[in-house]
Amino acid sequence: MRQSIPRRPSVSVVICTHNGQRRLPQCLKYLARQTVDEGIAWELMVVDNASTDSSLGTAQQCWARKDVPMRFLEEPNPGQALARLKALVESRMDLVSLIDDDNWVDCNWVTEVSNIMRDHPKAGACGGMSVLNMDKDPPVWFANNAKSYAVGTQGEKAGDTILWGAGLTVRRSAFEALYEQGFRPRAVSRPTGEGALFKRLGLINPLRDGGDSELCLALRIGGWELWYEPGLKLEHHIDPARLTWSNHCKILRGFGWAHVGLSTYEAASSPNNGLVHTLSRRWWVLAPWYGLKLIGAIARAAPALWSGREGARTVLHMEYRFGYLLALISQRAAFGAAIWQLSAQPWMRRQDVHGLRF
């Protein structure tokens, strides 16, 4: 008997943009070059995330593919995690491929993500590698920190790993299954008044931090694989103004802050190992421990701080631990409650995710 070939999933390509009037034309130019295999339906969605420029008008004018439908959504509340959530909820296709307005995808992007997800039915999401595209050479410290900007490979080979948000393609049925069982992304909301605190602490765009890792962790805990495919490629165009050392230190501080929220998923999904497991869920146990780690990190970073030397890993470790400790103290009342609430969710399976990088 003739063996049937699985249907190739349809694709919603989503661009989430905030004041992307200057970046969108080139992003759309690359998307318009798509050569999509017959039998793969696809659409383009642009989510305007609290823009104050004419991002949507620019997108409408620049889209050159009349054969591919283009839809516009608005998310008035700032935050990339919110914009991506809006796209996941509103999409009509099997797959939701999330790209940023500074991502330039290969001409076979739609076909590749459809084929990857067809060939890996257990994958709740997939991602690829990104290549840096800049108008001038990056600073010397960038090569060792490229992953902080979603540049480079996401693994040594194809396989299961936590993926970054730029170019993340999510199986909509996997997301819907989690959502129907109670999953609600914590990265889309912040306690009242925390925005002012972020500004005082010098945290860069904190609403971006952790949302992609949170979704990947939820999918992984919910029993889905996360597939990295190095043959899936995009170019990430980065404004040189973003690549200053002080800016990068603030980004690492934001990563440390986001880690506190992500660690609640680790704690809720890990097996109960008695007293150690119980204490690891208490902020008043973790805070002194990480306070000591921060003191040690400051001591190791002191020579680089004193000399003003850029690129020191010791400084980045210090910034990361500083952000983590600040978040742990700031969120002390909600930390244990979040672990308890996650533990009670029906989609939360008891499997250890400590081996996954995020």
Side-chain angles (χ1 to χ4, degrees), residues 209-235:
D209 293 339
D212 45 4
S213 294
E214 180 185 26
L215 177 57
C216 285
L217 273 173
L219 288 167
R220 190 66 180 82
I221 292 168
W224 294 89
E225 293 179 354
L226 303 168
W227 191 262
Y228 165 60
E229 180 53 61
L232 182 65
K233 297 180 181 179
L234 61 79
E235 294 182 41

Side-chain angles (χ1 to χ4, degrees), residues 134-154:
M134 276 186 64
D135 299 328
K136 66 177 186 179
D137 292 336
V140 293
W141 51 260
F142 179 82
N144 293 326
N145 298 278
K147 284 183 169 55
S148 297
Y149 298 86
V151 170
T153 62
Q154 300 195 64

Side-chain angles (χ1 to χ4, degrees), residues 14-25 27 45-56 58-59 73-84 99-102 204-205 207-208 239 242:
V14 177
I15 305 172
C16 297
T17 185
H18 171 72
N19 291 339
Q21 183 177 350
R22 292 186 300 106
R23 299 181 295 273
L24 280 168
C27 176
M45 296 171 59
V46 179
V47 183
D48 183 7
N49 187 207
S51 295
T52 57
D53 63 3
S54 57
S55 292
L56 290 187
T58 299
L73 300 173
E74 291 194 39
E75 175 47 64
N77 299 303
Q80 192 176 57
L82 274 170
R84 287 172 173 168
I99 66 173
D100 297 333
D101 56 18
D102 57 2
I204 288 182
N205 208 359
L207 289 175
R208 294 174 60 107
D239 185 343
R242 289 179 57 194

Side-chain angles (χ1 to χ4, degrees), residues 33-35 105-113 231-233:
R33 294 175 177 173
Q34 291 297 298
T35 54
V105 299
D106 276 4
C107 62
N108 61 349
W109 182 270
V110 172
T111 297
E112 284 295 310
V113 296
L232 182 65
K233 297 180 181 179

Side-chain angles (χ1 to χ4, degrees), residues 35-335:
T35 54
V36 181
D37 287 357
E38 185 178 355
I40 302 176
W42 71 292
E43 67 172 358
L44 173 63
M45 296 171 59
V46 179
V47 183
D48 183 7
N49 187 207
S51 295
T52 57
D53 63 3
S54 57
S55 292
L56 290 187
T58 299
Q60 191 170 20
Q61 293 174 6
C62 292
W63 186 235
R65 293 285 297 264
K66 304 303 180 184
D67 60 321
V68 178
M70 185 182 200
R71 291 201 289 144
F72 298 99
L73 300 173
E74 291 194 39
E75 175 47 64
N77 299 303
Q80 192 176 57
L82 274 170
R84 287 172 173 168
L85 178 61
K86 170 82 79 172
L88 285 164
V89 171
E90 296 291 335
S91 173
R92 302 166 184 165
M93 302 293 185
D94 301 319
L95 308 176
V96 182
S97 190
L98 302 164
I99 66 173
D100 297 333
D101 56 18
D102 57 2
N103 294 163
W104 304 347
V105 299
D106 276 4
C107 62
N108 61 349
W109 182 270
V110 172
T111 297
E112 284 295 310
V113 296
S114 181
N115 288 343
I116 291 168
M117 297 299 271
R118 178 197 62 182
D119 296 340
H120 300 279
K122 294 182 179 179
C126 74
M129 70 169 294
S130 71
V131 179
L132 175 66
N133 185 302
M134 276 186 64
D135 299 328
K136 66 177 186 179
D137 292 336
V140 293
W141 51 260
F142 179 82
N144 293 326
N145 298 278
K147 284 183 169 55
S148 297
Y149 298 86
V151 170
T153 62
Q154 300 195 64
E156 296 181 359
K157 59 182 181 179
D160 193 7
T161 185
I162 292 294
L163 305 165
W164 55 53
L168 180 70
T169 297
V170 180
R171 192 183 302 276
R172 190 164 58 90
S173 60
F175 172 78
E176 288 178 343
L178 291 178
Y179 204 79
E180 289 171 359
Q181 295 181 65
F183 169 67
R184 296 295 183 272
R186 299 181 65 226
V188 302
S189 62
R190 302 285 179 179
T192 303
E194 202 167 89
L197 176 62
F198 280 128
K199 291 182 180 179
R200 292 199 300 272
L201 296 176
L203 292 164
I204 288 182
N205 208 359
L207 289 175
R208 294 174 60 107
D209 293 339
D212 45 4
S213 294
E214 180 185 26
L215 177 57
C216 285
L217 273 173
L219 288 167
R220 190 66 180 82
I221 292 168
W224 294 89
E225 293 179 354
L226 303 168
W227 191 262
Y228 165 60
E229 180 53 61
L232 182 65
K233 297 180 181 179
L234 61 79
E235 294 182 41
H236 188 180
H237 186 270
I238 299 179
D239 185 343
R242 289 179 57 194
L243 297 185
T244 65
W245 181 243
S246 61
N247 189 64
H248 186 58
C249 289
K250 292 176 182 178
I251 289 175
L252 264 291
R253 197 180 306 171
F255 287 169
W257 186 287
H259 191 168
V260 171
L262 296 174
S263 66
T264 60
Y265 285 85
E266 282 190 302
S269 65
S270 60
N272 191 331
N273 294 320
L275 181 61
V276 173
H277 175 80
T278 301
L279 291 177
S280 69
R281 297 175 171 220
R282 304 293 186 265
W283 77 269
W284 44 267
V285 173
L286 295 176
W289 172 247
Y290 275 91
L292 291 174
K293 285 190 171 185
L294 176 59
I295 292 172
I298 293 172
R300 289 188 292 273
L305 291 170
W306 182 262
S307 65
R309 179 166 55 90
E310 295 185 354
R313 300 292 296 175
T314 54
V315 173
L316 299 181
H317 290 155
M318 179 196 71
E319 293 286 2
Y320 187 92
R321 297 195 185 286
F322 182 46
Y324 184 94
L325 186 60
L326 285 172
L328 188 62
I329 296 172
S330 174
Q331 301 171 25
R332 60 188 180 277
F335 182 73

